[in-house]
Amino acid sequence: EENAEDTYATNTMSVENAVFIANELDIPLLYICTAGIFDGGKDLYDDWDLPNPLGVYARSKYMGERYVVEHAKRYLVCRAGWMMGAGPKKDKKFIKKIMDQLKAGNKELFIIEKEGTPTYTQDFAKTVKALLEKRFWGLYNCVCQGLTSRLEVAQELLNILGRNDEIKINIVDSRYFKNE
């Protein structure tokens, strides 16, 4: 969000180059987008909902997606949801942040009660592979089923770790993290 120029160079302009190369070589293009292009006004989105990106990253990804859809000869655009399951070496997001806090000895967690649809990374990869193998070109929201909140995920993680009695969860809104 703080480096708009780099964000657009990575997520939009590089995609324009990739489309040009794919078209020149007459090969399909795979573009991984994000469900973050939606504004969060609904609990669940489908392939026909219109994006409304809020922020630099989301807009840059959506502009890359639009360029692929409008200019690539053959393409597969897969919108990834709230990704989970990459493991401790690759996961840099929600679960990793909680685990890092627990490893640091924190006895309190500050969690937003934001809802979303977690998507297991291996399921996402299998879906993309199947779409490519079957040559089902187009645009797809590739998320798992269901809806949960970050609060529920944090509670379940503490339960799995057997630490729900020793760690306090504080529910906060997004403003809490503005200055971190």
Side-chain angles (χ1 to χ4, degrees):
E1 294 302 308
E2 296 173 8
N3 301 299
E5 194 171 306
D6 291 341
T7 303
Y8 279 97
T10 301
N11 295 325
T12 308
M13 292 186 304
S14 66
V15 175
E16 293 172 11
N17 293 326
V19 168
F20 174 79
I21 293 167
N23 286 345
E24 283 290 309
L25 297 174
D26 196 28
I27 58 174
L29 179 73
L30 169 62
Y31 182 67
I32 307 296
C33 198
T34 173
I37 62 174
F38 297 108
D39 60 15
K42 292 176 57 175
D43 288 336
L44 301 171
Y45 289 88
D46 62 34
D47 296 343
W48 298 274
D49 284 316
L50 294 176
N52 183 29
L54 304 176
V56 173
Y57 173 75
R59 283 192 301 272
S60 72
K61 290 296 285 184
Y62 182 52
M63 293 310 296
E65 174 185 296
R66 284 189 53 195
Y67 196 86
V68 170
V69 170
E70 292 171 10
H71 298 285
K73 290 179 185 174
R74 283 179 293 150
Y75 64 87
L76 177 60
V77 173
C78 295
R79 293 174 176 158
W82 176 16
M83 301 297 284
M84 289 188 184
K89 292 183 181 177
K90 292 185 180 179
D91 185 354
K92 307 286 187 261
K93 298 213 174 193
F94 187 69
I95 297 290
K96 171 87 163 97
K97 288 178 181 179
I98 292 174
M99 292 302 292
D100 287 347
Q101 291 177 58
L102 295 174
K103 288 176 188 173
N106 292 20
K107 296 295 183 192
E108 288 185 272
L109 298 174
F110 297 87
I111 306 293
I112 296 173
E113 200 170 3
K114 179 180 175 184
E115 290 190 324
T117 301
T119 299
Y120 184 48
T121 54
Q122 292 187 32
D123 289 345
F124 179 80
K126 288 175 188 175
T127 298
V128 171
K129 182 179 183 220
L131 291 167
L132 287 169
E133 288 174 348
K134 294 178 181 182
R135 299 175 184 231
F136 286 167
W137 312 126
L139 183 146
Y140 301 91
N141 290 344
C142 297
V143 297
C144 294
Q145 287 185 314
L147 186 67
T148 191
S149 70
R150 273 130 176 95
L151 175 62
E152 290 172 318
V153 170
Q155 289 169 329
E156 182 60 20
L157 179 60
L158 292 177
N159 186 45
I160 290 168
L161 296 173
R163 300 190 64 190
N164 46 344
D165 290 337
E166 62 185 88
I167 305 295
K168 180 181 179 192
I169 294 179
N170 300 292
I171 300 170
V172 296
D173 66 27
S174 60
R175 291 177 297 212
Y176 178 84
F177 296 104
K178 289 285 186 207
N179 295 325
E180 282 198 6

